[in-house]
Coordinates of all heavy atoms in Angstrom, one line a residue:
M1 N -158.4 -45.7 -137.6 CA -159.7 -46.0 -138.0 C -160.5 -44.7 -138.2 O -160.5 -43.9 -137.3 CB -160.4 -46.9 -137.0 CG -161.9 -47.2 -137.5 SD -162.7 -48.5 -136.5 CE -163.1 -47.6 -135.0
R2 N -161.0 -44.5 -139.4 CA -161.8 -43.3 -139.7 C -163.2 -43.4 -139.3 O -163.9 -44.5 -139.6 CB -161.7 -43.0 -141.2 CG -162.3 -41.7 -141.6 CD -161.8 -41.2 -142.9 NE -162.4 -39.9 -143.2 CZ -163.3 -39.7 -144.2 NH1 -163.6 -40.7 -145.0 NH2 -163.8 -38.5 -144.4
A3 N -163.8 -42.4 -138.6 CA -165.1 -42.5 -138.2 C -166.1 -42.5 -139.4 O -165.9 -41.7 -140.3 CB -165.4 -41.3 -137.2
N4 N -167.1 -43.3 -139.3 CA -168.1 -43.3 -140.3 C -169.5 -43.0 -139.7 O -170.2 -44.0 -139.2 CB -168.1 -44.7 -141.0 CG -169.1 -44.7 -142.2 OD1 -170.0 -43.9 -142.4 ND2 -168.9 -45.7 -143.0
W5 N -169.9 -41.8 -139.6 CA -171.2 -41.4 -139.0 C -172.4 -42.1 -139.7 O -173.3 -42.4 -139.0 CB -171.3 -39.9 -139.0 CG -172.5 -39.5 -138.3 CD1 -173.7 -38.9 -138.8 CD2 -172.8 -39.6 -136.9 NE1 -174.6 -38.6 -137.9 CE2 -174.1 -39.1 -136.6 CE3 -172.1 -40.1 -135.8 CZ2 -174.7 -39.1 -135.4 CZ3 -172.7 -40.1 -134.5 CH2 -173.9 -39.6 -134.4
N6 N -172.3 -42.3 -141.0 CA -173.4 -42.9 -141.7 C -173.7 -44.3 -141.1 O -174.8 -44.8 -141.1 CB -173.2 -43.0 -143.2 CG -173.2 -41.6 -143.8 OD1 -173.9 -40.7 -143.3 ND2 -172.5 -41.4 -144.9
L7 N -172.6 -45.0 -140.7 CA -172.8 -46.3 -140.1 C -173.6 -46.3 -138.8 O -174.5 -47.1 -138.5 CB -171.5 -47.0 -139.9 CG -171.5 -48.4 -139.2 CD1 -172.2 -49.4 -140.0 CD2 -170.0 -48.8 -138.9
V8 N -173.3 -45.3 -138.0 CA -174.0 -45.0 -136.8 C -175.5 -44.8 -137.0 O -176.3 -45.4 -136.4 CB -173.3 -43.9 -135.9 CG1 -174.1 -43.6 -134.7 CG2 -171.9 -44.2 -135.6
V9 N -175.7 -43.9 -138.0 CA -177.1 -43.5 -138.3 C -177.8 -44.7 -138.8 O -179.0 -45.0 -138.4 CB -177.1 -42.4 -139.3 CG1 -178.6 -42.1 -139.8 CG2 -176.6 -41.1 -138.7
E10 N -177.2 -45.5 -139.6 CA -177.8 -46.8 -140.1 C -178.2 -47.7 -139.0 O -179.3 -48.3 -139.0 CB -176.8 -47.4 -141.1 CG -177.3 -48.7 -141.7 CD -176.3 -49.4 -142.6 OE1 -175.7 -48.7 -143.4 OE2 -176.1 -50.6 -142.4
K11 N -177.3 -47.9 -138.1 CA -177.6 -48.8 -136.9 C -178.7 -48.3 -136.1 O -179.6 -49.0 -135.6 CB -176.3 -49.0 -136.1 CG -175.2 -49.8 -136.7 CD -175.7 -51.2 -137.0 CE -174.7 -52.0 -137.7 NZ -175.2 -53.2 -138.2
I12 N -178.8 -47.0 -135.9 CA -179.9 -46.4 -135.1 C -181.2 -46.6 -135.9 O -182.2 -47.0 -135.2 CB -179.6 -44.9 -134.9 CG1 -178.4 -44.7 -133.9 CG2 -180.9 -44.2 -134.3 CD1 -177.9 -43.3 -133.8
L13 N -181.2 -46.4 -137.2 CA -182.4 -46.5 -138.0 C -182.9 -48.0 -138.0 O -184.2 -48.2 -138.2 CB -182.2 -46.0 -139.3 CG -182.1 -44.5 -139.5 CD1 -181.7 -44.1 -140.9 CD2 -183.3 -43.8 -139.0
T14 N -182.1 -48.9 -137.8 CA -182.5 -50.3 -137.9 C -183.1 -50.8 -136.6 O -183.7 -51.9 -136.5 CB -181.4 -51.3 -138.3 OG1 -180.3 -51.2 -137.3 CG2 -180.8 -51.0 -139.6
H15 N -183.1 -50.0 -135.5 CA -183.6 -50.3 -134.2 C -184.7 -49.3 -133.8 O -184.4 -48.3 -133.3 CB -182.5 -50.4 -133.2 CG -181.5 -51.4 -133.5 ND1 -181.7 -52.8 -133.4 CD2 -180.3 -51.3 -134.0 CE1 -180.6 -53.4 -133.8 NE2 -179.7 -52.6 -134.2
A16 N -186.0 -49.7 -134.0 CA -187.1 -48.8 -133.6 C -187.5 -49.0 -132.2 O -188.2 -48.2 -131.6 CB -188.3 -49.0 -134.5
N17 N -187.0 -50.1 -131.6 CA -187.4 -50.4 -130.2 C -186.6 -49.6 -129.2 O -185.4 -49.6 -129.3 CB -187.1 -52.0 -130.0 CG -187.4 -52.5 -128.7 OD1 -186.9 -52.0 -127.7 ND2 -188.2 -53.5 -128.6
E18 N -187.3 -49.0 -128.3 CA -186.6 -48.2 -127.3 C -185.5 -48.9 -126.5 O -184.4 -48.4 -126.2 CB -187.6 -47.5 -126.4 CG -187.0 -46.5 -125.4 CD -188.1 -45.9 -124.5 OE1 -189.2 -45.8 -124.9 OE2 -187.7 -45.4 -123.4
D19 N -185.8 -50.1 -126.1 CA -184.9 -50.9 -125.3 C -183.6 -51.2 -126.1 O -182.5 -51.1 -125.6 CB -185.5 -52.3 -124.8 CG -186.6 -52.0 -123.8 OD1 -186.5 -51.0 -123.1 OD2 -187.5 -52.9 -123.7
D20 N -183.8 -51.6 -127.4 CA -182.7 -51.8 -128.3 C -181.8 -50.6 -128.5 O -180.6 -50.6 -128.4 CB -183.1 -52.3 -129.7 CG -183.7 -53.7 -129.6 OD1 -183.5 -54.4 -128.6 OD2 -184.3 -54.1 -130.6
L21 N -182.5 -49.5 -128.6 CA -181.7 -48.2 -128.8 C -181.0 -47.8 -127.5 O -179.8 -47.3 -127.6 CB -182.7 -47.1 -129.2 CG -183.1 -47.1 -130.6 CD1 -184.2 -46.0 -130.9 CD2 -182.0 -46.8 -131.6
S22 N -181.6 -48.1 -126.4 CA -180.9 -47.8 -125.1 C -179.7 -48.6 -125.0 O -178.6 -48.1 -124.6 CB -181.9 -48.1 -123.9 OG -181.3 -47.8 -122.7
V23 N -179.7 -49.9 -125.3 CA -178.6 -50.8 -125.3 C -177.5 -50.3 -126.2 O -176.3 -50.2 -125.9 CB -178.9 -52.2 -125.6 CG1 -177.7 -53.1 -125.8 CG2 -179.8 -52.8 -124.4
L24 N -177.9 -49.9 -127.4 CA -177.0 -49.4 -128.5 C -176.3 -48.2 -128.0 O -175.0 -48.0 -128.1 CB -177.7 -49.2 -129.8 CG -176.8 -48.7 -131.0 CD1 -175.8 -49.8 -131.3 CD2 -177.7 -48.4 -132.2
F25 N -177.0 -47.2 -127.4 CA -176.4 -46.0 -127.0 C -175.5 -46.2 -125.8 O -174.5 -45.5 -125.6 CB -177.5 -44.9 -126.7 CG -178.1 -44.3 -127.9 CD1 -179.4 -44.2 -128.1 CD2 -177.3 -43.9 -128.9 CE1 -180.0 -43.7 -129.2 CE2 -177.8 -43.3 -130.1 CZ -179.2 -43.2 -130.2
Q26 N -175.9 -47.2 -124.9 CA -175.0 -47.5 -123.8 C -173.7 -48.1 -124.2 O -172.6 -47.9 -123.6 CB -175.7 -48.4 -122.8 CG -176.8 -47.7 -122.0 CD -177.5 -48.7 -121.1 OE1 -177.1 -49.8 -120.8 NE2 -178.7 -48.2 -120.6
L27 N -173.8 -48.8 -125.3 CA -172.6 -49.4 -125.9 C -171.7 -48.4 -126.6 O -170.5 -48.3 -126.4 CB -173.0 -50.5 -126.9 CG -171.8 -51.1 -127.7 CD1 -171.0 -52.0 -126.8 CD2 -172.4 -51.9 -128.9
L28 N -172.3 -47.4 -127.3 CA -171.5 -46.4 -128.1 C -171.1 -45.2 -127.3 O -170.1 -44.6 -127.7 CB -172.4 -46.0 -129.3 CG -172.8 -47.1 -130.3 CD1 -173.7 -46.5 -131.3 CD2 -171.5 -47.7 -130.9
L29 N -171.9 -44.8 -126.3 CA -171.6 -43.6 -125.6 C -171.4 -43.8 -124.1 O -172.1 -44.6 -123.5 CB -172.8 -42.6 -125.7 CG -173.2 -42.2 -127.2 CD1 -174.5 -41.5 -127.2 CD2 -172.1 -41.4 -127.8
T30 N -170.4 -43.1 -123.5 CA -170.3 -43.2 -122.0 C -171.4 -42.5 -121.4 O -172.2 -41.7 -122.0 CB -169.0 -42.5 -121.6 OG1 -169.1 -41.1 -121.9 CG2 -167.8 -43.0 -122.3
E31 N -171.6 -42.6 -120.1 CA -172.6 -42.0 -119.3 C -172.5 -40.4 -119.5 O -173.5 -39.7 -119.7 CB -172.6 -42.3 -117.8 CG -173.6 -41.6 -117.0 CD -175.1 -41.9 -117.4 OE1 -175.4 -43.0 -117.8 OE2 -175.9 -41.0 -117.2
E32 N -171.3 -40.0 -119.5 CA -171.1 -38.5 -119.6 C -171.5 -38.0 -121.0 O -172.1 -37.0 -121.1 CB -169.6 -38.2 -119.4 CG -169.3 -36.7 -119.4 CD -167.8 -36.5 -119.0 OE1 -167.3 -37.0 -118.0 OE2 -167.2 -35.7 -119.8
E33 N -171.2 -38.8 -122.0 CA -171.6 -38.4 -123.4 C -173.1 -38.5 -123.6 O -173.7 -37.6 -124.2 CB -170.9 -39.4 -124.4 CG -169.4 -39.2 -124.5 CD -168.7 -40.3 -125.2 OE1 -169.2 -41.5 -125.2 OE2 -167.6 -40.0 -125.8
R34 N -173.7 -39.5 -123.0 CA -175.2 -39.5 -123.1 C -175.8 -38.3 -122.3 O -176.8 -37.7 -122.8 CB -175.7 -40.8 -122.5 CG -175.4 -42.0 -123.3 CD -176.1 -43.3 -122.9 NE -176.0 -43.7 -121.5 CZ -175.0 -44.4 -121.0 NH1 -174.0 -44.9 -121.9 NH2 -174.9 -44.7 -119.7
S35 N -175.2 -38.0 -121.2 CA -175.7 -36.8 -120.5 C -175.5 -35.5 -121.3 O -176.4 -34.6 -121.3 CB -175.0 -36.7 -119.1 OG -175.4 -35.6 -118.4
A36 N -174.4 -35.4 -122.0 CA -174.1 -34.2 -122.8 C -175.1 -34.1 -124.0 O -175.6 -33.0 -124.3 CB -172.7 -34.2 -123.3
V37 N -175.4 -35.2 -124.6 CA -176.3 -35.2 -125.7 C -177.7 -34.9 -125.2 O -178.4 -34.1 -125.9 CB -176.4 -36.6 -126.4 CG1 -177.5 -36.7 -127.4 CG2 -175.0 -36.9 -127.1
S38 N -178.1 -35.4 -124.1 CA -179.4 -35.1 -123.5 C -179.5 -33.6 -123.2 O -180.5 -33.0 -123.4 CB -179.6 -36.0 -122.3 OG -180.8 -35.6 -121.6
G39 N -178.4 -33.1 -122.5 CA -178.4 -31.7 -122.2 C -178.5 -30.8 -123.4 O -179.2 -29.8 -123.4
R40 N -177.8 -31.2 -124.5 CA -177.8 -30.3 -125.7 C -179.2 -30.4 -126.3 O -179.7 -29.3 -126.8 CB -176.8 -30.8 -126.7 CG -176.7 -29.9 -127.9 CD -175.4 -30.2 -128.6 NE -174.3 -29.7 -127.9 CZ -173.1 -29.5 -128.4 NH1 -172.9 -29.8 -129.7 NH2 -172.1 -29.0 -127.7
L41 N -179.8 -31.5 -126.3 CA -181.2 -31.6 -126.8 C -182.1 -30.7 -126.1 O -183.0 -29.9 -126.6 CB -181.7 -33.0 -126.8 CG -183.2 -33.2 -127.3 CD1 -183.4 -32.8 -128.7 CD2 -183.6 -34.7 -127.1
Q42 N -182.0 -30.7 -124.7 CA -182.9 -29.8 -123.9 C -182.6 -28.4 -124.2 O -183.5 -27.6 -124.2 CB -182.6 -30.2 -122.4 CG -183.2 -31.5 -122.0 CD -182.9 -31.8 -120.6 OE1 -181.8 -31.5 -120.0 NE2 -183.8 -32.5 -119.9
V43 N -181.3 -28.0 -124.4 CA -181.0 -26.6 -124.7 C -181.6 -26.2 -126.0 O -182.3 -25.2 -126.1 CB -179.5 -26.4 -124.7 CG1 -179.1 -25.1 -125.3 CG2 -178.9 -26.6 -123.3
F44 N -181.5 -27.0 -127.1 CA -182.1 -26.7 -128.3 C -183.6 -26.6 -128.2 O -184.2 -25.6 -128.7 CB -181.8 -27.8 -129.4 CG -180.5 -27.6 -130.1 CD1 -179.5 -28.5 -130.0 CD2 -180.2 -26.4 -130.8 CE1 -178.3 -28.4 -130.6 CE2 -179.0 -26.2 -131.4 CZ -178.0 -27.2 -131.4
Q45 N -184.3 -27.5 -127.5 CA -185.7 -27.4 -127.3 C -186.1 -26.1 -126.6 O -187.1 -25.5 -127.0 CB -186.2 -28.6 -126.5 CG -186.2 -29.9 -127.2 CD -186.5 -31.1 -126.4 OE1 -186.1 -31.2 -125.2 NE2 -187.2 -32.1 -126.9
T46 N -185.4 -25.8 -125.5 CA -185.7 -24.6 -124.8 C -185.4 -23.3 -125.6 O -186.2 -22.4 -125.6 CB -184.9 -24.6 -123.5 OG1 -185.1 -25.8 -122.8 CG2 -185.4 -23.4 -122.6
L47 N -184.3 -23.3 -126.3 CA -184.1 -22.1 -127.2 C -185.1 -22.0 -128.2 O -185.6 -20.8 -128.5 CB -182.7 -22.3 -127.8 CG -181.5 -22.0 -126.9 CD1 -180.2 -22.5 -127.7 CD2 -181.4 -20.6 -126.5
L48 N -185.5 -23.0 -128.8 CA -186.5 -22.9 -129.9 C -187.9 -22.6 -129.3 O -188.7 -21.9 -130.0 CB -186.7 -24.3 -130.6 CG -185.5 -24.6 -131.6 CD1 -185.5 -26.0 -132.0 CD2 -185.5 -23.6 -132.8
A49 N -188.2 -22.9 -128.1 CA -189.4 -22.5 -127.4 C -189.4 -21.0 -127.1 O -190.4 -20.3 -127.0 CB -189.7 -23.3 -126.2
G50 N -188.2 -20.5 -126.9 CA -188.0 -19.0 -126.7 C -188.6 -18.4 -125.5 O -188.9 -17.2 -125.4
K51 N -188.6 -19.2 -124.4 CA -189.3 -18.7 -123.2 C -188.3 -18.3 -122.0 O -188.7 -17.6 -121.1 CB -190.3 -19.7 -122.7 CG -191.4 -20.0 -123.6 CD -192.4 -21.0 -123.1 CE -193.5 -21.2 -124.1 NZ -194.4 -22.3 -123.7
L52 N -187.1 -18.8 -122.1 CA -186.1 -18.6 -121.0 C -184.8 -17.9 -121.5 O -184.5 -18.1 -122.7 CB -185.7 -19.9 -120.4 CG -186.8 -20.8 -119.7 CD1 -186.3 -22.1 -119.2 CD2 -187.5 -20.0 -118.6
S53 N -184.2 -17.2 -120.6 CA -182.9 -16.6 -120.9 C -181.8 -17.6 -120.9 O -182.1 -18.8 -120.3 CB -182.6 -15.5 -119.9 OG -182.3 -16.1 -118.6
Q54 N -180.7 -17.3 -121.4 CA -179.6 -18.3 -121.3 C -179.2 -18.7 -119.9 O -179.0 -19.8 -119.6 CB -178.3 -17.8 -122.1 CG -178.5 -17.8 -123.6 CD -177.2 -17.5 -124.3 OE1 -176.1 -17.6 -123.7 NE2 -177.3 -17.4 -125.6
R55 N -179.2 -17.7 -119.0 CA -178.9 -18.0 -117.6 C -180.0 -19.0 -117.0 O -179.7 -19.8 -116.2 CB -178.8 -16.8 -116.8 CG -177.5 -16.0 -117.1 CD -177.3 -14.9 -116.1 NE -176.2 -14.0 -116.5 CZ -174.9 -14.4 -116.4 NH1 -174.5 -15.5 -115.9 NH2 -174.0 -13.5 -116.8
Q56 N -181.2 -18.7 -117.3 CA -182.3 -19.6 -116.8 C -182.2 -21.0 -117.4 O -182.4 -22.0 -116.7 CB -183.7 -19.0 -117.2 CG -184.0 -17.7 -116.4 CD -185.3 -17.0 -117.0 OE1 -185.4 -16.9 -118.2 NE2 -186.2 -16.6 -116.1
I57 N -181.8 -21.1 -118.6 CA -181.6 -22.4 -119.3 C -180.5 -23.1 -118.6 O -180.6 -24.3 -118.2 CB -181.3 -22.3 -120.8 CG1 -182.5 -21.7 -121.5 CG2 -180.9 -23.6 -121.4 CD1 -182.3 -21.3 -123.0
A58 N -179.4 -22.4 -118.3 CA -178.2 -23.0 -117.6 C -178.6 -23.6 -116.3 O -178.2 -24.7 -115.9 CB -177.1 -22.0 -117.5
A59 N -179.4 -22.8 -115.5 CA -179.8 -23.2 -114.2 C -180.8 -24.4 -114.2 O -180.6 -25.3 -113.5 CB -180.4 -22.0 -113.4
E60 N -181.7 -24.3 -115.1 CA -182.8 -25.3 -115.2 C -182.2 -26.7 -115.7 O -182.6 -27.7 -115.2 CB -183.9 -24.9 -116.1 CG -185.1 -25.8 -116.2 CD -186.3 -25.3 -116.9 OE1 -186.6 -24.1 -116.6 OE2 -186.8 -26.0 -117.8
H61 N -181.3 -26.6 -116.7 CA -180.9 -27.9 -117.3 C -179.5 -28.3 -116.9 O -178.9 -29.3 -117.3 CB -180.9 -27.8 -118.8 CG -182.3 -27.6 -119.3 ND1 -183.4 -28.5 -119.1 CD2 -182.9 -26.6 -120.0 CE1 -184.5 -28.0 -119.7 NE2 -184.2 -26.9 -120.2
Q62 N -178.9 -27.5 -116.0 CA -177.5 -27.7 -115.5 C -176.5 -28.0 -116.6 O -175.8 -29.0 -116.7 CB -177.5 -28.9 -114.5 CG -178.4 -28.7 -113.3 CD -178.4 -29.9 -112.4 OE1 -178.1 -31.0 -112.7 NE2 -178.9 -29.6 -111.2
V63 N -176.5 -27.0 -117.5 CA -175.5 -27.0 -118.6 C -174.8 -25.7 -118.6 O -175.2 -24.7 -118.0 CB -176.2 -27.2 -120.0 CG1 -176.8 -28.6 -120.1 CG2 -177.2 -26.1 -120.3
S64 N -173.6 -25.7 -119.3 CA -172.8 -24.4 -119.2 C -173.3 -23.4 -120.2 O -174.0 -23.7 -121.2 CB -171.4 -24.8 -119.6 OG -171.3 -25.1 -121.0
I65 N -173.0 -22.1 -119.9 CA -173.4 -21.0 -120.8 C -172.7 -21.2 -122.1 O -173.3 -20.9 -123.2 CB -173.0 -19.7 -120.2 CG1 -173.8 -19.4 -118.9 CG2 -173.1 -18.5 -121.2 CD1 -175.2 -19.1 -119.1
A66 N -171.5 -21.8 -122.1 CA -170.8 -22.1 -123.4 C -171.6 -23.0 -124.3 O -171.7 -22.8 -125.5 CB -169.4 -22.7 -123.1
T67 N -172.2 -24.1 -123.7 CA -173.0 -25.0 -124.5 C -174.2 -24.3 -125.0 O -174.6 -24.5 -126.2 CB -173.4 -26.2 -123.6 OG1 -172.3 -26.9 -123.2 CG2 -174.4 -27.1 -124.3
I68 N -174.8 -23.5 -124.2 CA -176.0 -22.7 -124.7 C -175.6 -21.8 -125.8 O -176.4 -21.7 -126.8 CB -176.7 -22.0 -123.5 CG1 -177.1 -23.0 -122.4 CG2 -177.9 -21.1 -124.0 CD1 -177.5 -22.4 -121.1
T69 N -174.5 -21.1 -125.7 CA -174.1 -20.1 -126.7 C -173.8 -20.9 -128.0 O -174.2 -20.4 -129.1 CB -172.8 -19.4 -126.2 OG1 -173.2 -18.7 -125.0 CG2 -172.3 -18.4 -127.3
R70 N -173.1 -22.0 -127.9 CA -172.9 -22.8 -129.2 C -174.2 -23.2 -129.8 O -174.3 -23.1 -131.0 CB -172.1 -24.1 -128.8 CG -170.6 -23.8 -128.7 CD -169.8 -25.1 -128.7 NE -170.1 -26.0 -127.6 CZ -169.6 -25.9 -126.4 NH1 -168.7 -25.0 -126.1 NH2 -169.9 -26.7 -125.4
C71 N -175.1 -23.7 -129.0 CA -176.4 -24.1 -129.6 C -177.2 -22.9 -130.2 O -177.7 -23.0 -131.3 CB -177.3 -24.8 -128.5 SG -176.7 -26.4 -127.9
S72 N -177.1 -21.8 -129.5 CA -177.8 -20.6 -129.9 C -177.2 -20.1 -131.3 O -177.9 -19.8 -132.2 CB -177.7 -19.5 -128.9 OG -178.3 -18.3 -129.3
N73 N -175.9 -20.1 -131.3 CA -175.2 -19.7 -132.6 C -175.5 -20.6 -133.7 O -175.6 -20.2 -134.9 CB -173.7 -19.6 -132.3 CG -173.3 -18.4 -131.5 OD1 -174.1 -17.4 -131.4 ND2 -172.1 -18.4 -130.9
Y74 N -175.6 -21.9 -133.4 CA -175.9 -22.8 -134.5 C -177.3 -22.5 -135.0 O -177.5 -22.5 -136.3 CB -175.8 -24.3 -133.9 CG -175.9 -25.3 -134.9 CD1 -174.8 -25.6 -135.8 CD2 -177.0 -26.1 -135.1 CE1 -174.9 -26.6 -136.7 CE2 -177.1 -27.1 -136.1 CZ -176.0 -27.3 -136.9 OH -176.1 -28.3 -137.8
L75 N -178.2 -22.3 -134.2 CA -179.6 -22.0 -134.6 C -179.6 -20.7 -135.4 O -180.3 -20.6 -136.4 CB -180.5 -21.9 -133.4 CG -180.9 -23.2 -132.7 CD1 -181.7 -22.9 -131.4 CD2 -181.6 -24.1 -133.7
K76 N -178.9 -19.7 -135.0 CA -178.8 -18.4 -135.6 C -178.3 -18.5 -137.1 O -178.7 -17.7 -137.9 CB -178.0 -17.4 -134.8 CG -178.7 -16.9 -133.6 CD -177.8 -16.0 -132.8 CE -178.3 -15.6 -131.5 NZ -177.4 -14.8 -130.7
N77 N -177.4 -19.4 -137.3 CA -176.7 -19.6 -138.6 C -177.6 -20.5 -139.5 O -177.2 -20.7 -140.7 CB -175.3 -20.1 -138.4 CG -174.4 -19.1 -137.8 OD1 -174.5 -17.9 -138.2 ND2 -173.5 -19.5 -137.0
M78 N -178.7 -21.0 -139.1 CA -179.5 -21.9 -139.9 C -180.5 -21.0 -140.7 O -180.8 -19.9 -140.3 CB -180.4 -22.8 -139.1 CG -179.7 -23.9 -138.4 SD -181.0 -24.8 -137.5 CE -180.0 -26.2 -137.0
S79 N -180.8 -21.5 -141.9 CA -181.9 -20.8 -142.6 C -183.2 -21.0 -141.9 O -183.3 -21.9 -141.1 CB -181.9 -21.4 -144.1 OG -182.4 -22.7 -144.0
V80 N -184.2 -20.3 -142.3 CA -185.5 -20.4 -141.7 C -186.1 -21.9 -142.0 O -186.6 -22.5 -141.1 CB -186.5 -19.4 -142.3 CG1 -187.9 -19.6 -141.8 CG2 -186.1 -18.0 -141.9
K81 N -185.8 -22.3 -143.2 CA -186.3 -23.7 -143.6 C -185.6 -24.7 -142.7 O -186.3 -25.7 -142.2 CB -186.0 -23.9 -145.1 CG -186.4 -25.3 -145.5 CD -186.2 -25.4 -147.0 CE -186.7 -26.8 -147.5 NZ -186.4 -26.9 -148.9
Q82 N -184.3 -24.6 -142.5 CA -183.6 -25.6 -141.6 C -184.1 -25.5 -140.2 O -184.3 -26.5 -139.5 CB -182.1 -25.3 -141.6 CG -181.4 -25.6 -142.9 CD -179.9 -25.1 -142.9 OE1 -179.7 -24.0 -142.4 NE2 -179.0 -26.0 -143.3
R83 N -184.3 -24.3 -139.7 CA -184.8 -24.1 -138.3 C -186.2 -24.7 -138.1 O -186.5 -25.4 -137.2 CB -184.8 -22.6 -137.9 CG -184.9 -22.4 -136.4 CD -184.7 -20.9 -136.0 NE -183.5 -20.3 -136.6 CZ -183.6 -19.4 -137.5 NH1 -184.7 -18.9 -138.0 NH2 -182.4 -18.8 -138.0
D84 N -187.0 -24.5 -139.2 CA -188.4 -25.2 -139.1 C -188.3 -26.7 -139.1 O -189.0 -27.3 -138.4 CB -189.2 -24.7 -140.3 CG -189.7 -23.2 -140.2 OD1 -189.6 -22.7 -139.0 OD2 -190.1 -22.7 -141.2
S85 N -187.4 -27.2 -139.9 CA -187.2 -28.7 -139.9 C -186.7 -29.2 -138.5 O -187.2 -30.2 -138.0 CB -186.2 -29.1 -140.9 OG -186.6 -28.9 -142.2
V86 N -185.8 -28.5 -137.9 CA -185.3 -28.8 -136.6 C -186.4 -28.8 -135.5 O -186.6 -29.6 -134.7 CB -184.1 -28.0 -136.2 CG1 -183.8 -28.1 -134.7 CG2 -182.9 -28.3 -137.0
K87 N -187.2 -27.7 -135.6 CA -188.4 -27.6 -134.7 C -189.3 -28.8 -134.8 O -189.7 -29.4 -133.8 CB -189.2 -26.3 -135.0 CG -188.6 -25.1 -134.5 CD -189.5 -23.9 -134.8 CE -188.9 -22.6 -134.4 NZ -189.7 -21.4 -134.6
K88 N -189.6 -29.3 -136.0 CA -190.4 -30.4 -136.2 C -189.8 -31.7 -135.6 O -190.5 -32.5 -135.1 CB -190.7 -30.6 -137.7 CG -191.7 -29.6 -138.2 CD -191.9 -29.8 -139.7 CE -192.8 -28.7 -140.3 NZ -192.9 -28.8 -141.7
L89 N -188.5 -31.8 -135.8 CA -187.8 -33.0 -135.3 C -187.8 -33.1 -133.8 O -187.9 -34.1 -133.2 CB -186.3 -32.9 -135.8 CG -186.0 -33.4 -137.2 CD1 -184.6 -33.1 -137.5 CD2 -186.3 -34.8 -137.3
I90 N -187.6 -31.9 -133.1 CA -187.3 -32.0 -131.6 C -188.4 -31.4 -130.8 O -188.4 -31.6 -129.6 CB -185.9 -31.4 -131.2 CG1 -185.9 -29.9 -131.5 CG2 -184.8 -32.2 -131.9 CD1 -184.6 -29.3 -131.0
L91 N -189.3 -30.7 -131.4 CA -190.4 -30.1 -130.5 C -191.7 -30.8 -130.6 O -192.6 -30.8 -129.7 CB -190.6 -28.6 -130.9 CG -189.5 -27.7 -130.5 CD1 -189.9 -26.2 -130.9 CD2 -189.2 -27.7 -129.0
D92 N -192.0 -31.5 -131.8 CA -193.2 -32.2 -132.0 C -193.2 -33.6 -131.3 O -192.2 -34.2 -131.1 CB -193.6 -32.3 -133.4 CG -193.8 -31.0 -134.1 OD1 -194.1 -30.0 -133.3 OD2 -193.8 -30.9 -135.3

């Protein structure tokens, strides 16, 4: 079976209710995967805020330096326009 990410996005968009989304994510993702997604979001938010070092981020959010480095590199490879869009999505 080939993964269809657009189907996942479509299902998420059809459920604006937090309880429904929580059930959907519990169905689709293991506890470990939900924790990883949450940790990655926190890393991106913290990196974009620009107030902590990578070691401080790792300690505060209990994520690996490797995860922080991947997120940091991803942000560095974005255009300014892309980075601004991401900031609006996850910081506002």
Side-chain angles (χ1 to χ4, degrees):
M1 179 168 77
R2 188 163 181 245
N4 184 345
W5 184 248
N6 290 334
L7 175 64
V8 175
V9 171
E10 179 184 312
K11 290 297 175 190
I12 292 168
L13 290 174
T14 61
H15 299 284
N17 177 305
E18 185 177 335
D19 291 334
D20 289 347
L21 284 173
S22 182
V23 169
L24 182 62
F25 286 130
Q26 287 177 15
L27 175 69
L28 297 175
L29 303 169
T30 66
E31 176 62 35
E32 186 176 310
E33 291 166 332
R34 291 190 306 272
S35 179
V37 169
S38 175
R40 186 164 288 194
L41 176 61
Q42 290 175 325
V43 168
F44 276 119
Q45 289 172 321
T46 307
L47 286 169
L48 287 168
K51 296 179 182 177
L52 298 177
S53 70
Q54 288 193 8
R55 290 194 186 281
Q56 290 170 315
I57 295 170
E60 184 172 314
H61 298 300
Q62 298 179 345
V63 295
S64 71
I65 294 291
T67 295
I68 298 164
T69 300
R70 278 192 301 274
C71 293
S72 178
N73 287 339
Y74 190 74
L75 290 172
K76 286 177 188 174
N77 290 321
M78 287 181 171
S79 69
V80 173
K81 184 177 179 180
Q82 289 173 316
R83 199 173 307 112
D84 288 344
S85 293
V86 168
K87 282 182 183 181
K88 288 178 186 174
L89 281 172
I90 66 174
L91 290 181
D92 293 343

